[in-house]
Amino acid sequence: MFKGLIGKKIGMAQIFDEDGVAIPVTLIEAGPCYVTQVRLPEKDGYSAVQLGFEETKPKRLTGGELGHLKRNSLNLPPLRFLREFRVKNPEVSEGDVVKVDVFNVGERVDVVGTSKGRGFQGGVKRYHFKGGPKTHGQSDRHRAPGSRSSGTTPGRVYKGSRGPGHMGNDRVTAQNLKVAIVDPERNLIGVKGAIPGARGGLVLIKEARKQ
Amino acid sequence: MNDLLKSIEAPVNEQIPELHPGDGVSVHVKIKEGGRERIQEFKGTVLYVHRNGANSTFTVRRVASNGIGVERTFPMRSPRIEKVVVERHSKVRRARLFFLRERTGKQARLKQKF
């Protein structure tokens, strides 16, 4: 069975399990998602399932997007978000509906989100650089990044070196979260622990890769 | 707060009355031992009540037999709490009674409020 969902982070709360142990839970409003396209190796060179989430007004989409949803008499509603999930065998057909009940309480999932943007940040905050000494006559060096590279050899800074720059607003995956709540009536799913991103942010829920 | 979030929160534990710092209380806690469940009493003074909606807690301090202070924090909505009996109210002038930690014996008494 294909397992994957697109949803929106709602927020965190505390619930108690049957033993009375308090567990932190992040609530996600997920689905119903429509299978908008199935990618096959013969045709597309890889296999994946494309899901669509959140109905909107037709005027919010472009003609191409609408045509994609209406093609082959699929007649899906206008959907705001389309995302692909790479899977080995799709096991679903175009037009199918995927709901939160594909996941069961106690299962492990990975949740992909976009982390909160933090703007341009220095090396100390972004990569936990140590900064300079606080005392012994130091001035203006307390949070300095230090040397970027060696001297004449190589004479340049290697690409990908860590340093100050834009932090956050990245795709982040929270792995191996336990499913704590599944409510198919209200399309709600709750996972134990925190997930990336702000409330209202788009998240993808997948089967855990490292079980 | 979001209504959906509110709907999944733990329900209020009706067995816990309104608590105030300085109250002498006896907390009846359900404890699982192997397959059996029994009730354990924890008697002491409420040090402070942490009010945070559904995540509220209260902390009870008790001086054990060998004179060692034991503090235990209970979630206000914990289903493990069978009931809480308030045995006395005390006259206190602050919300957090941390000063009790440094006091023992007669010094640690609080004036009763009726």
Side-chain angles (χ1 to χ4, degrees):
Chain A
M1 250 290 282
F2 167 74
K3 287 183 176 185
L5 279 173
I6 312 176
K8 262 186 181 167
K9 174 169 169 177
I10 292 174
M12 291 194 72
Q14 180 179 289
I15 62 167
F16 293 93
D17 67 8
E18 58 280 0
D19 290 334
V21 179
I23 46 175
V25 165
T26 309
L27 203 60
I28 304 163
E29 191 173 12
C33 296
Y34 298 88
V35 178
T36 52
Q37 197 175 8
V38 177
R39 303 267 188 197
L40 298 166
E42 305 87 66
K43 209 172 151 207
D44 307 289
Y46 64 99
S47 60
V49 175
Q50 189 188 69
L51 288 186
F53 172 62
E54 199 170 70
E55 290 181 33
T56 49
K57 297 174 187 166
K59 69 171 181 185
R60 300 247 186 260
L61 299 183
T62 63
E65 286 168 333
L66 283 173
H68 175 62
L69 296 170
K70 296 278 174 232
R71 77 184 196 294
N72 302 338
S73 63
L74 268 180
N75 272 326
L76 295 172
L79 298 166
R80 197 167 153 207
F81 301 107
L82 300 180
R83 294 288 184 278
E84 277 187 12
F85 292 75
R86 294 292 287 264
V87 284
K88 286 215 174 80
N89 359 294
E91 293 176 315
V92 279
S93 49
E94 292 175 1
D96 284 0
V97 180
V98 186
K99 287 185 149 187
V100 286
D101 50 22
V102 295
F103 292 109
N104 301 313
V105 172
E107 252 178 282
R108 298 277 183 173
V109 293
D110 290 346
V111 178
V112 182
T114 307
S115 61
K116 283 185 183 176
R118 264 135 238 256
F120 193 101
Q121 293 297 336
V124 175
K125 191 184 184 81
R126 195 170 175 219
Y127 291 113
H128 304 135
F129 287 177
K130 291 280 192 290
K134 293 191 177 85
T135 55
H136 295 293
Q138 303 292 323
S139 66
D140 309 337
R141 299 242 5 119
H142 303 299
R143 293 176 73 88
S147 171
R148 297 293 313 261
S149 183
S150 322
T152 316
T153 320
R156 63 191 171 90
V157 176
Y158 289 122
K159 284 212 167 158
S161 299
R162 297 177 305 162
H166 193 279
M167 184 180 171
N169 202 23
D170 294 318
R171 180 188 164 101
V172 177
T173 306
Q175 292 184 330
N176 257 330
L177 305 176
K178 224 182 207 163
V179 176
I181 303 168
V182 174
D183 184 348
E185 264 165 46
R186 293 185 293 173
N187 294 314
L188 291 176
I189 187 165
V191 294
K192 183 182 171 184
I195 64 171
R199 278 166 290 188
L202 192 75
V203 294
L204 310 183
I205 309 166
K206 307 172 175 186
E207 259 181 295
R209 280 183 70 178
K210 301 174 186 168
Q211 299 253 10
Chain B
M1 197 166 133
N2 191 302
D3 289 337
L4 286 173
L5 260 191
K6 243 187 184 144
S7 70
I8 64 147
E9 272 176 1
V12 178
N13 188 335
E14 304 285 352
Q15 306 308 318
I16 303 178
E18 176 100 14
L19 298 173
H20 301 280
D23 285 359
V25 292
S26 155
V27 185
H28 296 243
V29 199
K30 288 182 212 158
I31 286 187
K32 261 206 178 131
E33 273 178 338
R36 274 185 344 110
E37 210 178 57
R38 64 179 190 89
I39 296 201
Q40 190 188 55
E41 245 183 283
F42 190 86
K43 260 186 173 179
T45 317
V46 176
L47 264 203
Y48 58 92
V49 181
H50 168 71
R51 289 183 201 278
N52 185 19
N55 305 341
S56 300
T57 58
F58 62 97
T59 298
V60 179
R61 180 179 168 87
R62 170 181 99 101
V63 179
S65 53
N66 44 7
I68 292 171
V70 178
E71 283 175 25
R72 220 172 138 177
T73 303
F74 301 95
M76 210 58 120
R77 296 195 177 181
S78 171
R80 267 196 205 162
I81 297 178
E82 172 80 11
K83 65 176 175 181
V84 177
V85 182
V86 180
E87 281 156 2
R88 56 176 265 168
H89 297 292
S90 310
K91 193 183 160 210
V92 290
R93 300 176 75 163
R94 52 212 73 221
R96 284 154 189 255
L97 310 179
F98 294 134
F99 63 89
L100 287 180
R101 288 175 179 164
E102 278 95 58
R103 299 197 184 178
T104 50
K106 276 189 173 180
Q107 277 192 315
R109 283 175 305 172
L110 296 169
K111 247 190 196 151
Q112 192 161 3
K113 192 169 86 179
F114 294 97

